[in-house]
Amino acid sequence: MPKQLPAHREIILASGVAELLCAAGLLAPRTRKVAGYASAALLAGVFPGNVQMAADALRGDNPGLKAAALARLPLQWPMIRSALKAARTA
């Protein structure tokens, strides 16, 4: 979580709830378009937090955390593309 943002815990919890709502919305054809666009926006919005997590992990000494934090960064882009595709094909 970037240090400039206040209320880290609350933001993390809210983003988790938003992820679950987006996932549920993608399941239903009636809400898939909105949920797809919301998912793409959410994934783009949490990307700076993922970058911060990777930077923090690199300063630590846990090789598993370093690998996971770095591996997750390039996965954001295919997930955003998939969310947009779901929105467009709804």
Side-chain angles (χ1 to χ4, degrees):
M1 176 70 67
K3 291 169 184 37
Q4 300 86 344
L5 295 177
H8 289 184
R9 184 173 176 6
E10 291 82 1
I11 292 172
I12 291 168
L13 290 173
S15 71
V17 169
E19 285 182 45
L20 292 172
L21 291 172
C22 287
L26 287 168
L27 294 174
R30 280 184 36 197
T31 56
R32 189 167 294 139
K33 183 174 188 169
V34 171
Y37 287 125
S39 295
L42 180 63
L43 288 164
V46 300
F47 188 72
N50 292 338
V51 170
Q52 183 66 52
M53 184 175 76
D56 292 344
L58 287 174
R59 286 191 292 277
D61 55 358
N62 183 333
L65 180 60
K66 287 179 186 181
L70 290 172
R72 119 185 251 172
L73 294 177
L75 295 175
Q76 292 287 120
W77 304 114
M79 290 191 310
I80 291 170
R81 276 197 313 272
S82 294
L84 292 172
K85 183 178 177 184
R88 287 191 295 263
T89 59

